DNA sequence: CTGTATCCTTGGCGATACTG
DNA sequence: CAGTATCGCCAAGGATACAG
């Protein structure tokens, strides 16, 4: 008679690094924003075009939160008309490998089956 | 009088690989569920204990969706009282590297600063 | 133990209009 | 161009009660 196994899954993270990170990625458009910033800075309207269907309000809110979280930086260019450039910070860059892993799985899924 | 209609025109989101994969991971507890299943099967109440604070309704809903998506399988054991085991499918296993990448960033964040 | 049914609150997000 | 303000819908999710 085997006693009830104590499947304490390895070292269950106390306050969950997973949750810690997912708080940064939370929100419908957040991963996509970071994805489009992964190689070069983008302007507000460029991002709005990249993320087909996002509202200005939501994009603005996400960008401000990501800035507060230290994931990206905002720079106003003294041009006319004014333009604003967003770019990943060092911290933001650390998130890219995780997003790449997600994108990679997405590719696998598309090959495996026609996903809706 | 018919109040003016609130143009309910859901914009079809672009289906990039990132979005494709995030649909599987969408939902507050989903990544954590997969994380706790990564090494061994777990029962309903075990998962409920792992995910401190999740309601039975939500956990049930997430598990059913993940089952429909082919990410995990559900097996009813003919014991008394009945127990149910959930385990990752092959497809579910493919998601683990992505989640590990997220967990890894979470660890980095915790080292870098005290994250709320 | 393993869920499902019902009710209710919260907030995420789009749409629209307006500002610098 | 780059946002902010306001409105309102709707779905995610907790609480609770109930069922097999």
């Amino acid at each position: 008679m085997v006693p009830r196994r104590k499947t304490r899954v390895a070292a269950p993270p106390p306050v969950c690094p997973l949750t810690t990170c997912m708080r940064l990625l939370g929100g419908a458009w957040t991963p996509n924003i970071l994805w489009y910033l992964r190689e070069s800075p983008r302007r507000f309207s460029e991002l709005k075009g990249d993320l087909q269907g996002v509202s200005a309000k939501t994009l603005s809110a996400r960008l401000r939160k990501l800035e507060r979280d230290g994931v990206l930086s905002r720079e106003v260019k003294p041009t006319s008309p004014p333009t604003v450039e967003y770019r990943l910070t060092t911290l933001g860059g650390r998130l890219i490998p995780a997003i790449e892993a997600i994108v990679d799985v997405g590719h696998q899924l598309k090959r495996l089956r026609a996903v809706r």
Side-chain angles (χ1 to χ4, degrees), chain A residues 28-89:
Chain A
W29 300 96
T30 306
N32 276 297
I33 291 173
L34 301 182
W35 179 247
Y36 283 112
L37 287 175
R38 73 190 182 283
E39 289 189 334
S40 58
R42 306 281 285 164
R43 293 188 296 105
F44 186 87
S45 60
E46 287 176 328
L47 286 171
K48 192 159 187 318
D50 294 335
L51 309 169
Q52 283 293 104
V54 74
S55 65
K57 175 196 165 190
T58 297
L59 179 54
S60 176
R62 291 285 138 253
L63 288 171
R64 277 187 282 109
K65 181 183 189 307
L66 289 170
E67 190 186 2
R68 282 200 312 275
D69 288 340
V71 172
L72 54 77
S73 64
R74 178 177 182 277
E75 183 192 2
V76 179
K77 299 271 192 166
T79 57
S80 177
T83 61
V84 181
E85 256 189 13
Y86 296 91
R87 74 180 64 221
L88 295 184
T89 61

